[in-house]
């Protein structure tokens, strides 16, 4: 992959650099391509599938000899990692009969095995089902029924939650790490005994790669179906930025060669923020991966220094905590050249503070969705410092962007419209939800539900969301999901969930409920009653109660914004 340093006599504009790379670098050659009846701009010469990214990155990883993965003192070279992936694929195929058309679920915290399983499952032609590790048994039940995954690789806590479902759903469980010894199959024993020869499986670039669940306004999460083409299109759109960057900002004469790319993974690998622009991108980019078991800002500072980490991508809360931890340690983390945020909007005031604390790093922001394989809008460095409230510009060269009104018409420059994107990185569909798919995907254009304005330079600023989604530290929470759980409580007549500003997490869940006459409900009672029905991060952190009907609008629908405003004016919430 063309990641060598490029020296330019003079700086190019970003647009000229994109045109130059597309025209002169065969890897990034673009041409109109028909996918499922829709014509897209698509790369012509990139690896066709997710497992083929491994071979594409071998040379960038020292022909497999370089260190690739670090976890809690355990290290894998790239060659050792790829060998384990092949063994996993043989276990899936030979022991469990997994192949094209099957779906295999992964339910665990950030372990190295999650990474080998993603590639091993996809190498058989089967589809990876990413399961949120924080879900309860009820939530796991929904996703496994929806995806029809019968084989699940899980760690200990997830096995405990899955055990009540085994008979009813005919599940086969494989224990990973602290899950070994709890069920009939153990990951270590299976993969160690397996062959490391590559499977001979024909996978089409438009076959399904993964189902990744994303909260929506319908309460239950939607299974976003990602294809191999959509995932690798996103990966190579990001990879192209590394080729464009030195053309736009040429390195100074005599400047040292940059460090090898090295990423610290601090967000869950069951979300696109970690899987796609960190893990999958690391394969062709020749990047080293350091995997944190659990977020700890002080430990992150130590790892960045010890492992010469160059890339940090987390939710805004983690950037802020990293900044505080580095100040406490009196270090500037000089190896960092990229400090990005995803999953939620970073507070504008934080941008300049981060730039001052990490002078060698380009402070970056980005907007993307599970439905776009995380590809979308972004910016870095001076552009971001000058526009801290903006989300940035569209990542070239495949994407197209429109801002639409409620009738589907393009809005004028500077007017509010719904972000609508078209690219081969878009999802194929929502699993088992044809109506939701038709509402969201129209002739290749994906209507995102995010409302924004765009200026004359192409910078997009997101101002609101059509969807009733709370983004708590990067985790999407559907208001209807919370409300459905609250309605389980016998004294609750009606419930309204909404976001409450939070200095650390950006937003947390608040709720106002109408109780039956004479009933009393404390926050602790509510939390105890919801335990086991929804994940803890969805449980309202702030609760308001009343004995009169909740506020309604002119059409007699629940006035969510009005309820929220009234509650936030009266901060006597039970917390």
């Amino acid at each position: 992959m063309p990641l060598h340093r490029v020296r330019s006599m003079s700086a190019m504009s970003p647009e000229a650099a994109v045109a130059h790379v597309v025209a002169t670098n065969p890897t990034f050659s673009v041409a109109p391509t028909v996918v499922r009846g829709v014509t897209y701009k698509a790369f012509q010469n990139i690896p066709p599938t997710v497992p083929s990214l491994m071979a594409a990155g071998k040379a960038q990883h020292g022909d497999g000899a370089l260190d690739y993965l670090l976890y809690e003192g355990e290290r894998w070279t790239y060659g050792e990692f790829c060998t384990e992936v092949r063994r996993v694929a043989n276990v899936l195929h030979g022991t469990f009969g997994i192949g094209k058309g099957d779906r295999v679920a992964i339910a665990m915290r950030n372990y190295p095995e999650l990474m080998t399983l993603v590639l091993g499952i996809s190498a058989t032609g089967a589809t990876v089902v990413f399961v949120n590790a924080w879900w309860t048994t009820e939530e796991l039940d929904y996703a496994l029924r929806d995806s029809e995954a019968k084989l699940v690789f899980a760690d200990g806590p997830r096995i405990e939650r899955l055990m009540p479902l085994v008979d009813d759903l005919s599940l086969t469980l494989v224990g990973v790490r602290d899950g070994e010894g709890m069920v009939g199959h153990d990951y270590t024993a299976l993969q160690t005994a397996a062959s490391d020869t590559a499977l001979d499986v024909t996978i089409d670039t438009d076959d399904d790669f993964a189902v990744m669940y994303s909260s929506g306004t319908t309460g239950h999460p939607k299974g976003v179906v990602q294809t191999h083409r959509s995932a690798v299109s996103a990966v190579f759109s990001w990879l192209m930025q590394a080729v464009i960057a030195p053309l736009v900002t040429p390195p100074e004469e005599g400047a040292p060669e940059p460090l090898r790319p090295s990423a610290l993974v601090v967000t869950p690998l069951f979300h696109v923020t970690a899987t796609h622009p960190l893990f999958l991108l690391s394969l062709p980019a020749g990047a080293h991966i350091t995997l944190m078991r659990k977020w700890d800002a002080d430990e992150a500072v130590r790892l960045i220094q010890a492992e010469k980490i160059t890339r940090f991508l987390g939710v805004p809360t983690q950037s802020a905590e990293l900044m505080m931890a580095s100040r406490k340690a009196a270090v500037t983390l000089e190896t960092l050249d990229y400090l990005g945020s995803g999953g939620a909007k970073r507070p504008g005031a934080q941008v300049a503070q981060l730039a001052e604390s990490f002078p060698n790093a380009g402070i970056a922001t980005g907007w993307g969705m599970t439905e776009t394989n995380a590809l979308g809008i972004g910016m870095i460095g001076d552009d971001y410092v000058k526009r801290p409230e903006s989300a940035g510009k569209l990542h070239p060269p495949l994407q197209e962007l429109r801002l639409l009104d409620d009738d589907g018409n393009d809005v004028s420059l500077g007017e509010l419209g719904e972000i609508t994107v078209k690219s081969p990185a878009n999802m194929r569909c929502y699993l088992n939800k044809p109506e939701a798919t038709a509402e969201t995907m129209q002739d290749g254009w994906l209507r995102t539900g995010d409302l924004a304005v765009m200026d004359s330079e192409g910078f997009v600023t997101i101002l609101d969301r059509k969807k009733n989604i709370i983004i708590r530290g990067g985790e999407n929470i559907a208001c209807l999901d919370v409300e459905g759980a609250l309605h389980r409580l016998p004294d609750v007549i009606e419930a309204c969930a909404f976001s409450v500003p939070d200095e650390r997490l950006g937003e947390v869940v608040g709720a106002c409920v109408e109780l039956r006459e004479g009933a009393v409900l404390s926050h602790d009672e509510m939390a105890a009653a919801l335990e086991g029905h929804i994940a803890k991060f969805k449980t309202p952190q702030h609760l308001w109660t009343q004995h009169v009907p909740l506020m309604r609008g002119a059409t007699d629908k629940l006035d969510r914004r009005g309820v929220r405003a009234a509650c936030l004016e009266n901060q006597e919430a039970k917390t």
Side-chain angles (χ1 to χ4, degrees), residues 52 144 146 220 304 361 367 397 411 571:
S52 63
L144 293 175
D146 185 56
H220 283 305
I304 290 169
W367 168 93
V411 302
Q571 284 291 351

Side-chain angles (χ1 to χ4, degrees), residues 289-570:
I289 291 288
T290 299
L291 198 61
M292 289 192 78
R293 180 178 183 275
K294 183 178 181 181
W295 170 246
D296 179 284
D298 294 325
E299 175 65 4
V301 167
R302 187 192 70 79
L303 286 169
I304 290 169
Q305 291 183 292
E307 300 301 322
K308 294 183 170 60
I309 303 294
T310 64
R311 185 176 177 86
F312 180 95
L313 176 59
V315 297
T317 302
Q318 291 169 322
S319 295
E321 292 177 352
L322 183 71
M323 178 171 59
M324 290 186 286
S326 68
R327 287 176 178 173
K328 182 174 66 175
V331 295
T332 58
L333 303 181
E334 62 277 2
T335 63
L336 276 183
D337 61 26
Y338 178 94
L339 199 155
S341 69
K345 183 181 180 298
R346 176 186 279 135
Q350 194 184 98
V351 179
Q353 296 171 356
L354 290 168
E356 181 180 355
S357 295
F358 305 112
N360 291 349
I363 311 304
T365 188
W367 168 93
M369 304 174 68
T370 308
E371 289 87 340
T372 67
N373 280 262
L375 187 62
I377 295 165
M379 61 180 167
I380 188 170
D382 290 342
D383 282 337
Y384 189 22
V385 173
K386 293 174 184 175
R387 303 170 183 84
E389 299 298 336
S390 176
K393 287 184 175 182
L394 201 67
H395 286 305
L398 306 183
Q399 297 186 101
E400 301 173 65
L401 170 69
R402 300 170 69 190
L403 297 183
L404 304 180
D405 62 21
D406 289 340
D407 296 322
N409 301 313
D410 292 278
V411 302
S412 300
L413 206 62
E415 291 188 2
L416 190 69
E418 181 180 3
I419 296 177
T420 308
V421 292
K422 179 181 180 182
S423 90
N426 285 352
M427 69 173 184
R428 179 172 70 80
C429 67
Y430 287 122
L431 184 64
N432 303 323
K433 290 181 169 54
E435 292 181 2
T437 301
E439 181 181 347
T440 302
M441 295 289 294
Q442 298 163 8
D443 297 322
W445 291 91
L446 190 150
R447 301 198 66 157
T448 68
D450 288 314
L451 301 176
V453 296
M454 184 166 62
D455 67 17
S456 59
E457 297 180 83
F459 288 95
V460 176
T461 301
I462 300 171
L463 299 177
D464 204 350
R465 294 192 298 274
K466 279 189 171 182
K467 303 175 182 179
N468 295 320
I469 295 291
I470 300 163
I471 303 179
R472 179 190 182 276
E475 193 71 31
N476 285 3
I477 301 167
C479 289
L480 293 184
D481 199 8
V482 178
E483 290 163 5
L486 287 168
H487 278 108
R488 291 174 171 272
L489 280 59
D491 289 327
V492 171
I493 297 174
E494 188 173 33
C496 177
F498 47 83
S499 66
V500 176
D502 183 84
E503 187 173 327
R504 179 174 176 270
L505 296 168
E507 295 177 342
V508 294
V509 182
C512 183
V513 299
E514 178 191 355
L515 298 176
R516 300 185 189 282
E517 186 176 351
V520 176
L521 180 66
S522 71
H523 179 273
D524 289 346
E525 290 169 339
M526 176 229 24
L530 295 185
E531 189 171 354
H533 296 293
I534 58 172
K536 287 185 179 179
F537 70 88
K538 300 179 185 178
T539 301
Q541 192 166 321
H542 301 268
L543 177 68
W544 289 261
T545 63
Q546 60 188 58
H547 293 91
V548 295
L550 300 182
M551 192 181 305
R552 317 197 83 75
T555 60
D556 204 37
K557 291 183 179 179
L558 187 67
D559 183 358
R560 191 181 307 278
R561 291 188 179 183
V563 172
R564 178 181 185 273
C567 288
L568 293 184
E569 285 179 11
N570 172 19

Side-chain angles (χ1 to χ4, degrees), residues 33 63 76 173 183 237-238 247 254 257 289 325 348 378 399 506 543 552:
T33 303
D63 204 32
W76 289 256
L173 303 183
V183 289
S237 293
W238 294 312
L247 300 177
E257 289 293 313
I289 291 288
Q399 297 186 101
L543 177 68
R552 317 197 83 75

